[in-house]
Amino acid sequence: MASMTDKAEQRLGDDALPGERVLYGVLAFRTGGVRKTMVAGATGVAGAAGAAMMAAATSLKGGGFPAAPLKVPGRMITVLTDRRLLVYSIGGAFAAKPGKLLHAFPLDRVVWLPEPELIPGAAQALRVQIGIAGEGVLGFEFPRLKVNEGRNMINRLRRELPPEEEEPPEEAAEAAED
């Protein structure tokens, strides 16, 4: 049985950039989707709280991308290549595989990537928020059985990004004002 990464490599095919390699392909859900899928009649409060958290966190960054959440389906395949972050719809009648390409972001457009949040409980999920310059916030979560693979993918993405600029210490900022 082919892994999701292998399926993503096959699906990318001719759409791959020259020399581009698929590093990860992982099943994910829209923010709040794991709980909604596992708990019948869920109200989606986690999604609203997540959106509020995204808006608050992104306003602290000081710009660079809009705080609006990007539209994603209920279930998707997230793919990390050595050059881009891709989001595919789910294809396949019996086994999930990447379907239609919904988003393709060059890695240099990723401007914000906080530590993912592990949501505990029966509907365990690893919630991820990624700020994309000029686009908004890409939010999704990896379900319980994909948490480790999802964490590995996000850690690899973090290593591909340039180091964040450090904030000056308060004393230095105050001294600069004088």
Side-chain angles (χ1 to χ4, degrees), residues 69-112:
L70 295 171
K71 188 173 183 172
V72 293
R75 294 184 330 142
M76 67 204 89
I77 306 295
T78 55
V79 176
L80 177 64
T81 76
D82 56 349
R83 297 186 188 178
R84 298 183 288 173
L85 178 63
L86 310 169
V87 177
Y88 287 94
S89 65
I90 299 282
F94 299 105
K97 65 180 186 177
K100 180 181 175 189
L101 179 62
L102 303 173
H103 297 287
F105 305 112
L107 296 183
D108 64 358
R109 295 203 30 224
V110 174
V111 294
W112 180 71

Side-chain angles (χ1 to χ4, degrees), residues 28-40:
F29 287 76
R30 175 184 306 136
T31 301
V34 171
R35 179 166 302 282
K36 196 173 218 172
T37 299
M38 293 195 61
V39 180

Side-chain angles (χ1 to χ4, degrees), residues 19-159:
E20 186 175 29
R21 294 179 309 114
V22 171
L23 305 173
Y24 288 92
V26 186
L27 173 71
F29 287 76
R30 175 184 306 136
T31 301
V34 171
R35 179 166 302 282
K36 196 173 218 172
T37 299
M38 293 195 61
V39 180
T43 61
V45 172
M53 181 185 76
M54 282 188 293
T58 57
S59 67
L60 298 175
K61 180 73 174 177
F65 63 96
L70 295 171
K71 188 173 183 172
V72 293
R75 294 184 330 142
M76 67 204 89
I77 306 295
T78 55
V79 176
L80 177 64
T81 76
D82 56 349
R83 297 186 188 178
R84 298 183 288 173
L85 178 63
L86 310 169
V87 177
Y88 287 94
S89 65
I90 299 282
F94 299 105
K97 65 180 186 177
K100 180 181 175 189
L101 179 62
L102 303 173
H103 297 287
F105 305 112
L107 296 183
D108 64 358
R109 295 203 30 224
V110 174
V111 294
W112 180 71
L113 180 60
E115 192 64 34
E117 176 187 6
L118 184 63
I119 307 301
Q124 183 184 52
L126 184 67
R127 188 166 292 161
V128 177
Q129 307 295 326
I130 303 171
I132 309 293
E135 299 286 339
V137 177
L138 178 62
F140 56 88
E141 55 192 26
F142 298 109
R144 174 183 296 275
L145 296 176
K146 300 297 179 185
V147 164
N148 287 337
E149 193 175 356
R151 188 181 309 277
N152 291 339
M153 179 178 138
I154 296 305
N155 288 339
R156 177 63 186 260
L157 173 58
R158 184 171 276 113
R159 287 192 306 267

